[in-house]
């Protein structure tokens, strides 16, 4: 039997051979349509026949979208999320209907052509989000919590006994340091007082005292809302310690704070799905530079993890991005679909607009906090994150009393997590749809609830 | 202000104090209703104020359901999965509508009382699925692929230089051995020819030659469909090498093959969500015995992983199960909701019925395969898995030709993966709703498609 492909399945060159005009390029129609058509394809792709090898493969960049001009539908499909309190913690955040709907995608093989295309596009879209066009940059999307990104760095880029400088900004930089130590790194923590970050002068001094394999920066420490500045910091590291890898924990910053991966010369940014990217938790997402990948390839000792091993995952990520089925461990098709939807929405507009939108909302929130007479944990306006605000409670107000009152008003804030001040503050997350879709009114409702809640507990604003 | 709880929120003792009859116990009403009521609760739980400590905590077993008598609704909510080819690979499998719908759950804080209850119930339900009532047994549910379970064993239970006996049944036992070596184990592989498993005699001999810290058994090697027998094997290990931990890779067996954790004296079973449990991929699920947990606690060297560290996760799992909020890394609320739904469905009937249902379907499939004149990779009927069948292709038929034909008929099978026979066979997964809901007709359709597809490629059955 000869399989006769339907006209819709003919390749562009086949159209030309037949003297016909091929339809527009595959990525020209709206992404939604392309997704649907993929499901309706009359000939289903085979499921991993013999393409399960783990051999490294050079990525065929001709397959990558040269100029991603996705036209995305802005109308979300009908789906009603049941009434629920608005989640305004620093992640997970509120999710868009279309993203949540993608979580219910019917079951697909993780090596089917349809899913491979979805995963491949997702990886390519991450390059846009991180603003890297260097083909040597390598994105990873793994099943796991954001924390897994620390293991990825610690187990692959650092060898036992190598020195790492950790900029200490709070609970999460402490965690990164712990993780690095588990894998044998010799960690130096340059700690700043609660609510601040190490200065460039202090960092320059530290870098001049020892040769560090890597420096880690927690871009936004979710425990304090302190924002680290990456541009000048990266320039400094490149100047005074050019061999040091610049590794960023971007869990609470990717997709809400500017990150210009190539221009700033970053070597690694690790993040998670459930914060400003706006996809449910369950994915560790990261980007590494060609220089970081070289550091991994040039290790003298084998990487000291298996599931978190770049050796195991790099060929798989490269194959997926080249639209080739590949297998090391089963990814989560549903979460990857949701990430694809979230990234498609994000990239429908220039990322700079997204960062500006978060900054505008943050400025408004911080002004409202000040009007209420409240102080932030991050006192210096230049060190304040744009996707969250850590707010000191007024004297006499307990978080354990305030948070349930806010929740009753339909707004969920987070308690403290930094051990030195844990009972003294609360955290307000403002990322994604809650700030970019003003029609939701999430922020106004939250500020109003905070004002009313404090009043109910006897607080009078100055 | 005094918060006056609504009547529906009164505790059972408060009802009694008021001279009223309390409603039925919280777990008496249908689980679905309990889930809904939780979302409608007028007073929302606070979000982690100060309960984020990672300190070990003894589990308060008084909070565990003593006798889980869930009455579960069997009618699934209205949700139409779009038409799609039936996925009959050995995982991911086809998912129930209600499970997929749980994947779209609105965003919840990972430390809210509602989600903590869902996660806690999920962990308690796993005890039922694994058939363990020993309070020392410890379940884990982590974001990750099934492969992460290997890291959990290798990084926590084994110390560098310790001996592990790996029963070699194919691709997946090789993977487990690789993972163990990465973490420094001294691995001995007892390999069996393709399509078989090591005999008890060979295992007894191996155990008598060296003192092994652990033995690993791939219960069903997804690369060959070979089923290992656990009951007699465990009895043997307990007899000839009583200190050896018995570790089972149950990725393709949990929820479709009998596993009697306590009675057989198993020490660890690691699995994934997307196979017979019937929940989308993205969760590493495991159960360890009190003896395994002791082996971890008595390590001389610290565990050599961070995200896969039992030290980091054990208190978190114990806190969740005791319905206390706790944080190490953000779990995936949506995946955990889906797992909760899947486990609720599974436990609505005795697990023995579930195993029998898979066996009956498997017997039927294997008879049909034989009628077609086809041979299985696992030739011995006693060594054939009940959730999948690995089928040798007839002479002259290529998987790369057959699989697309089957897919066109709406049935997705998997290609080969065992390197010695990779092009010579295909794999047919038959787990979960596809076998337990005969109204779907999945199996009949698959067998018919296989017969027709082979005929189209010129094969005539004997």
């Amino acid at each position: 039997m000869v399989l006769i492909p339907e006209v819709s399945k003919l390749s562009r060159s086949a159209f030309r051979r037949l003297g016909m005009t091929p339809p527009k390029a595959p990525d020209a129609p709206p992404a939604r349509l392309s997704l649907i058509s993929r499901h309706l394809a009359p000939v289903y792709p085979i499921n991993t026949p013999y393409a399960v090898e783990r051999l490294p493969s050079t990525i065929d960049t001709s397959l990558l979208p040269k100029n991603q001009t996705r036209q995305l539908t802005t109308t979300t499909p009908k789906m009603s999320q049941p009434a629920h309190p608005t989640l305004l913690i620093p992640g997970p955040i509120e999710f868009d209907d279309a993203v949540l709907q993608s979580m219910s995608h019917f079951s697909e093989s993780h090596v089917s052509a349809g899913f491979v295309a979805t995963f491949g596009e997702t990886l390519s879209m991450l390059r846009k989000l991180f603003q890297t066009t260097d083909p040597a940059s390598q994105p990873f999307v793994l099943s796991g919590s954001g924390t897994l990104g620390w293991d990825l760095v610690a187990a692959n880029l650092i060898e036992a006994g190598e020195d790492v400088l950790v900029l200490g900004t709070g609970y999460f930089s402490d965690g990164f340091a712990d993780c690095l130590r588990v894998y044998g790194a010799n960690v130096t923590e340059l700690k700043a007082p609660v609510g601040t970050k190490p200065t460039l002068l202090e960092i320059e001094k530290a870098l001049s005292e020892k040769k560090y394999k890597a420096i880690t920066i927690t871009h936004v420490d979710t425990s304090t809302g302190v924002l680290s500045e990456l541009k000048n910091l990266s320039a400094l590291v490149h100047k005074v310690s050019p061999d040091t890898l610049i590794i960023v924990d971007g869990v609470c910053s990717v997709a809400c704070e500017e990150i210009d991966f190539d221009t700033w010369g970053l070597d690694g940014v690790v993040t998670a799905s459930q914060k400003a990217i706006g996809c449910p938790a369950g994915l560790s997402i990261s980007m590494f530079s060609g220089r970081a990948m070289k550091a991994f390839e040039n290790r003298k000792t084998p990487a000291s993890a298996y599931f978190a091993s770049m050796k195991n995952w790099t060929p798989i990520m490269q194959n997926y991005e080249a639209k080739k089925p590949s297998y090391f461990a089963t990814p989560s098709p549903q979460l990857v679909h949701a990430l694809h939807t979230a990234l498609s929405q994000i990239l429908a507009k220039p990322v700079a607009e997204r960062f500006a939108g978060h900054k505008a909302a943050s400025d408004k929130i911080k002004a409202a906090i000040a009007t209420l007479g409240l102080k932030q944990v991050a006192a210096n306006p230049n060190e304040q994150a744009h996707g969250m605000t850590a707010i000191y409670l007024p004297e006499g107000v307990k978080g354990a009393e305030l948070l349930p009152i806010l929740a009753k008003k339909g707004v969920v804030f987070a308690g403290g997590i930094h051990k030195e001040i844990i009972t003294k503050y609360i955290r307000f997350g403002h990322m994604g749809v809650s700030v970019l879709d003003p029609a939701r009114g999430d922020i106004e409702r939250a500020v109003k609830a905070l004002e009313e809640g404090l009043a109910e507990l006897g607080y009078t604003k100055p």
Side-chain angles (χ1 to χ4, degrees), chain A residues 177-343:
Chain A
D178 280 350
C179 177
L180 286 158
R181 284 190 202 100
V182 162
Y183 289 98
N186 182 22
V187 173
T188 302
E189 279 186 271
L190 183 58
K191 291 208 182 197
V194 177
T196 65
K197 61 177 201 284
T199 65
L200 288 184
L201 217 63
E202 292 166 331
I203 297 165
E204 182 164 6
K205 185 166 172 291
L207 288 173
S208 68
E209 284 167 359
K210 206 187 264 186
K211 193 169 164 61
Y212 289 99
K213 173 72 171 281
I215 179 173
T216 74
I217 306 112
T218 306
H219 196 184
V220 169
D221 200 304
T222 318
S223 69
T224 58
V226 167
L227 172 69
S228 288
E229 192 282 324
L230 290 184
K231 193 180 171 184
N232 295 332
L233 173 58
S234 304
L236 172 72
V237 179
H238 281 290
K239 193 184 71 181
V240 304
S241 187
D243 292 338
T244 300
L245 297 174
I246 303 172
I247 306 294
V248 177
D249 176 341
V251 167
C252 200
S253 74
V254 168
C256 66
E257 305 284 357
E258 187 184 6
I259 295 181
D260 204 341
F261 196 87
D262 284 359
T263 311
W264 297 349
L266 306 179
D267 292 301
V269 178
V270 298
T271 189
S273 46
Q274 77 275 9
K275 304 216 176 193
I277 290 176
C279 168
L283 295 176
S284 154
I285 297 167
S286 49
M287 183 70 71
F288 291 97
S289 68
R291 202 163 76 124
M293 297 307 292
K294 270 271 171 301
F296 160 66
E297 285 158 22
N298 294 337
R299 285 180 70 95
K300 288 177 198 73
T301 54
S304 46
Y306 187 75
F307 182 64
S309 158
M310 283 187 175
K311 179 168 158 245
N312 290 332
W313 281 116
T314 305
I316 308 302
M317 294 296 133
Q318 293 178 344
N319 281 340
Y320 269 117
E321 201 168 354
K323 310 286 164 74
K324 292 193 288 188
S326 194
Y327 175 76
F328 163 60
T330 310
S332 177
Q334 282 72 16
L335 274 169
V336 171
H337 271 286
L339 179 58
H340 186 280
T341 303
L343 290 173

Side-chain angles (χ1 to χ4, degrees), chain A residues 115-193:
Chain A
F115 175 68
V116 168
T118 300
F119 203 161
E121 288 168 15
T122 301
L123 292 165
S124 298
M125 284 193 280
L126 283 176
R127 296 177 188 270
K128 281 237 158 189
L129 176 61
F130 286 84
Q131 306 196 70
T132 174
T133 55
D134 185 340
S137 297
Q138 184 57 53
F140 291 85
V141 173
L142 310 183
S143 280
S145 302
T147 299
L148 182 63
W150 295 344
D151 290 69
L152 212 52
V153 170
N156 293 283
L157 303 186
I158 314 296
E159 298 191 61
E162 288 184 332
D163 287 299
V164 179
L165 180 64
V166 172
L167 301 189
T169 43
Y171 182 91
F172 288 95
S173 63
D174 288 350
F176 204 162
D178 280 350
C179 177
L180 286 158
R181 284 190 202 100
V182 162
Y183 289 98
N186 182 22
V187 173
T188 302
E189 279 186 271
L190 183 58
K191 291 208 182 197

